[in-house]
């Protein structure tokens, strides 16, 4: 991140933090109507997570399927740190997240993680073009990787 400034303007910080919160709320409320991801991501989005990588529409489907494996989810974000490029059109952003997931049998799976993302300014505002998530700790049983959502739901 050496090429990035360390102090974004307050408006950019507020917009980026609101985008993160809005994305998490969309996941938790499962508001996956047609085109929902356009408010958060660029078309070339690339996501890396502990269970794999995906790009574009595949990455969007991956997010939807991940939360649909559970009866409920709650994502909480904090400590948003933003480093903007000198041209103010890209920003490297990190934040912490605490994610609680309720399995269909009511047991919990919780994750403490760190997100690392690249945001790009578009005509519609800031959007995420790259996002990685790294688990720092977990408790409970994770979902079965490779099982379909239908299999997870029984």
């Amino acid at each position: 991140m050496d090429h990035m400034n360390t102090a974004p303007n307050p408006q950019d910080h507020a917009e980026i933090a609101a985008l993160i919160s809005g994305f998490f709320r969309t996941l938790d409320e499962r508001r996956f109507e047609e085109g929902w991801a356009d408010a958060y991501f660029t078309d070339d989005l690339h996501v890396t997570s502990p269970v794999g990588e995906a790009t574009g529409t595949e990455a969007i489907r991956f997010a939807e399927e991940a939360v649909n494996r559970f009866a409920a989810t709650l994502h909480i974000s904090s400590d948003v740190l933003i480093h903007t490029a000198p041209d103010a059109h890209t920003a490297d952003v990190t934040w912490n997240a605490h994610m609680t997931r309720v399995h269909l049998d009511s047991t919990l799976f919780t994750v403490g993680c760190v997100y690392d993302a690249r945001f790009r300014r578009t005509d519609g505002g800031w959007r995420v073009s790259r996002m990685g998530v790294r688990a720092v700790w977990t408790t409970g049983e994770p979902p079965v990787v490779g099982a379909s959502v239908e299999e997870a739901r029984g």
Side-chain angles (χ1 to χ4, degrees):
M1 285 197 228
D2 293 337
H3 67 285
M4 298 284 183
N5 296 325
T6 56
N9 71 53
Q11 181 176 346
D12 287 342
H13 192 282
E15 289 175 12
I16 289 170
L19 189 126
I20 293 166
S21 295
F23 167 60
F24 278 175
R25 180 69 52 90
T26 296
L27 291 179
D28 293 336
E29 294 178 357
R30 301 174 191 204
R31 290 184 278 132
F32 302 136
E33 60 275 350
E34 185 70 29
W36 72 270
D38 295 342
Y40 305 104
F41 304 111
T42 61
D43 291 341
D44 62 344
L45 169 68
H46 184 80
V47 173
T48 305
S49 78
V51 296
E53 293 187 37
T55 301
T57 57
E58 180 186 354
I60 304 309
R61 273 194 309 278
F62 183 74
E64 292 173 10
E65 288 178 5
V67 297
N68 283 330
R69 293 177 181 280
F70 299 96
T73 61
L74 182 65
H75 294 74
I76 300 170
S77 61
S78 69
D79 304 324
V80 177
L81 300 175
I82 302 169
H83 303 276
T84 56
D87 67 5
H89 291 291
T90 58
D92 287 336
V93 182
T94 63
W95 66 94
N96 296 328
H98 182 259
M99 301 181 295
T100 302
R101 283 114 186 244
V102 181
H103 285 290
L104 298 174
D105 67 1
S106 298
T107 59
L108 298 180
F109 173 57
T110 57
V111 182
C113 60
V114 176
Y115 278 80
D116 179 24
R118 168 67 53 95
F119 282 62
R120 189 165 59 223
R121 191 186 304 274
T122 69
D123 291 341
W126 288 101
R127 298 294 184 267
V128 179
S129 62
R130 178 186 51 80
M131 183 166 59
V133 60
R134 176 179 52 86
V136 176
W137 58 265
T138 65
T139 61
E141 291 296 319
V144 177
V145 176
S148 70
V149 172
E150 292 77 22
E151 291 171 322
R153 290 195 158 276

